Amino acid sequence: MCLVAPQFSSAGCSATKSCLRDPVGCRPELDPRCFFLSFAAEDGGTSVAFEVSGPAEGYVSLALSQDKWMGNDDVYLCVSDGSRVTISAAYVSGRTHPEPGSEEALWGRAWRLADGVIQCRFHRNTLLPHMENRFNLNQSYFLFLAHGRSQHGFIHRHDRQPLISTNQKVISGPPEDLSGSRSPLLIKIHGVLMLSAWMWTASAGVLVARHFRLLRPHTLMLGHRLWFQIHRSMMAFTVILTAVAFILPFIYRSGWSKRAGSHPYIGCTVAALSVIQPIMASLRPAPASPRRSCFNWMHLGAGTVCQILAAACVFLGVQQQALLLPTPWSPAVLIGWLLWIVLVDVLLLILSCRLRRSGEPHAEDKETILLAQLNAQQHEEVSTVKMLVLMVFLTGNTGFLVAFVKAVASV
């Protein structure tokens, strides 16, 4: 028999019961968006009381697992049909639908439905030696907290990546306030590396190549002009970061992700273009070669396409289940970042136009002629302003990147 449960509370977390919450530190009695799991040993450790709560259209569930992968897990379901909640035990043998367990495993069941929040409470004995697939609660497990839709009592795949405890926990052990995440560590690293590559190193390298070729034109570094070495270094870092980030999802998934939409396809294209660009650059013709113009256009075109696809990939990436950043915050900040790049690019174009005012429109080598025509004072003034703009641009990009790294760390 199921009873109507009173409002759940976070009071006693880490003192009388263990708690796992999302967002961190949320209180289910005050926040209807709070996903909440608590458990506490009773009767001298011979039984454990569980509380599961969260906003969901169909069900909330708890799973005990020996690892952080779905499969071979002890599962407990709280399924709503809109007017009442069914509380049951189940077992997941793989990435499949849960297999129902014995109803005798649970007792003291109670539930509550209010404002779209499903809450259920139940007890079970610490040891159930005669019941197959019921884990002993005097051992340590990872805890999964998932939710999703249901129809006629049949549950669908969870809407978001489950909240998974950071460490294993002895269920009947002393109370503790647990931490957890909905994003695997490898996917977090993937996101941070890709954001670092395309939000910082790539955009900085492209900006230098586009607007700073006249900066200290007679200063050489390792036999090449300063702007070229900066550009080459930034793009080399971009390729390295992209290559490392590229392999991490394949390691995590042990193959191809079938539920990631177009993100992995665009990501593979970006990775391929990232490798093609330096190969193309290493084969570039000499400056005086008639094929140099063709190379310049191909290099510019491939780089522009790669940068556009990378931006699209970032927008899609922050909406993936494995790294779902808060909305509408993340799309808004990404749009702000793109507008920031456009604003700085336009400003530098305006400054470059000042350098071209006295240039000959049909000069064979415009940059050399313009540099000769400009007086030293004017060139120094414009160069100083452009350097200031570059510093502000890099500072702004760093701010955007730091904001996203913090967001990734928090999910």
Side-chain angles (χ1 to χ4, degrees):
M1 178 179 179
C2 289
L3 304 174
V4 177
Q7 173 71 47
F8 286 3
S9 171
S10 59
C13 284
S14 76
T16 59
K17 59 186 179 182
S18 296
C19 298
L20 177 63
R21 294 177 275 185
D22 181 34
V24 176
C26 67
R27 302 172 63 182
E29 66 272 27
L30 299 177
D31 186 359
R33 299 169 300 174
C34 180
F35 289 92
F36 178 78
L37 163 66
S38 75
F39 51 94
E42 295 183 345
D43 302 325
T46 60
S47 66
V48 176
F50 291 90
E51 293 179 333
V52 183
S53 172
E57 295 182 11
Y59 71 93
V60 291
S61 65
L62 156 69
L64 308 178
S65 180
Q66 296 175 342
D67 53 37
K68 291 190 175 184
W69 288 95
M70 179 179 175
N72 302 321
D73 303 329
D74 188 0
V75 179
Y76 301 90
L77 300 165
C78 304
V79 185
S80 169
D81 63 5
S83 59
R84 64 187 306 275
V85 175
T86 301
I87 304 170
S88 61
Y91 182 76
V92 175
S93 57
R95 300 180 72 85
T96 58
H97 195 273
E99 305 165 11
S102 172
E103 290 292 326
E104 299 176 3
L106 309 181
W107 49 277
R109 288 176 285 186
W111 56 268
R112 185 175 186 270
L113 282 174
D115 301 322
V117 176
I118 301 174
Q119 296 185 331
C120 65
R121 177 184 288 119
F122 58 90
H123 296 70
R124 59 147 284 191
N125 291 332
T126 302
L127 302 177
L128 294 172
H130 304 298
M131 291 191 180
E132 188 179 4
N133 298 326
R134 297 278 74 81
F135 292 175
N136 293 335
L137 301 185
N138 58 1
Q139 299 180 16
S140 60
Y141 305 98
F142 289 103
L143 294 121
F144 285 55
L145 185 58
H147 70 284
R149 295 172 293 109
S150 67
Q151 188 174 18
H152 307 302
F154 183 87
I155 67 171
H156 296 273
R157 188 178 186 273
H158 42 77
D159 292 334
R160 293 178 60 190
Q161 191 86 354
L163 176 66
I164 305 175
S165 62
T166 304
N167 301 304
Q168 290 186 329
K169 166 66 178 171
V170 177
I171 307 304
S172 61
E176 183 180 350
D177 210 351
L178 305 171
S179 62
S181 174
R182 293 187 183 272
S183 180
L185 179 60
L186 286 178
I187 300 301
K188 286 185 175 183
I189 297 174
H190 165 80
V192 169
L193 292 180
M194 283 298 192
L195 286 168
S196 300
W198 295 100
M199 188 171 278
W200 211 98
T201 58
S203 58
V206 169
L207 200 76
V208 168
R210 183 175 172 86
H211 297 289
F212 289 86
R213 297 191 179 209
L214 290 179
L215 178 65
R216 297 185 180 180
H218 302 299
T219 301
L220 299 181
M221 180 185 292
L222 300 178
H224 294 279
R225 291 170 67 179
L226 182 60
W227 75 265
F228 177 78
Q229 292 290 36
I230 295 174
H231 170 71
R232 183 161 64 176
S233 299
M234 289 295 100
M235 302 321 290
F237 278 121
T238 300
V239 174
I240 293 170
L241 292 172
T242 300
V244 174
F246 177 77
I247 65 174
L248 296 181
F250 292 97
I251 295 174
Y252 170 69
R253 292 289 184 186
S254 299
W256 187 263
S257 177
K258 298 179 181 179
R259 296 181 180 271
S262 59
H263 177 76
Y265 297 96
I266 298 175
C268 287
T269 305
V270 170
L273 288 173
S274 299
V275 174
I276 290 172
Q277 279 289 80
I279 295 175
M280 187 191 307
S282 67
L283 301 174
R284 66 188 181 280
S289 171
R291 298 193 302 273
R292 184 60 178 240
S293 177
C294 180
F295 160 78
N296 288 341
W297 281 107
M298 290 178 63
H299 192 61
L300 173 63
T304 302
V305 170
C306 188
Q307 199 171 19
I308 292 172
L309 290 178
C313 213
V314 171
F315 271 91
L316 294 171
V318 299
Q319 300 174 28
Q320 295 296 312
Q321 270 206 21
L323 191 63
L324 187 62
L325 298 188
T327 54
W329 178 87
S330 56
V333 176
L334 283 175
I335 292 172
W337 166 62
L338 292 178
L339 292 176
W340 171 248
I341 292 177
V342 172
L343 175 64
V344 172
D345 192 60
V346 170
L347 180 57
L348 289 173
L349 281 174
I350 293 172
L351 290 172
S352 297
C353 286
R354 291 187 59 186
L355 291 176
R356 293 186 173 90
R357 283 179 182 174
S358 58
E360 292 293 335
H362 302 292
E364 185 176 350
D365 189 347
K366 292 184 179 181
E367 289 186 356
T368 304
I369 295 174
L370 287 174
L371 184 60
Q373 290 177 340
L374 287 171
N375 61 68
Q377 182 179 359
Q378 180 188 13
H379 183 267
E380 187 65 27
E381 289 175 356
V382 175
S383 296
T384 300
V385 174
K386 291 181 73 172
M387 282 299 299
L388 180 61
V389 171
L390 178 61
M391 294 299 103
V392 173
F393 172 75
L394 294 179
T395 302
N397 267 16
T398 302
F400 282 111
L401 179 60
V402 169
F404 270 101
V405 170
K406 287 184 177 180
V408 169
S410 68
V411 296

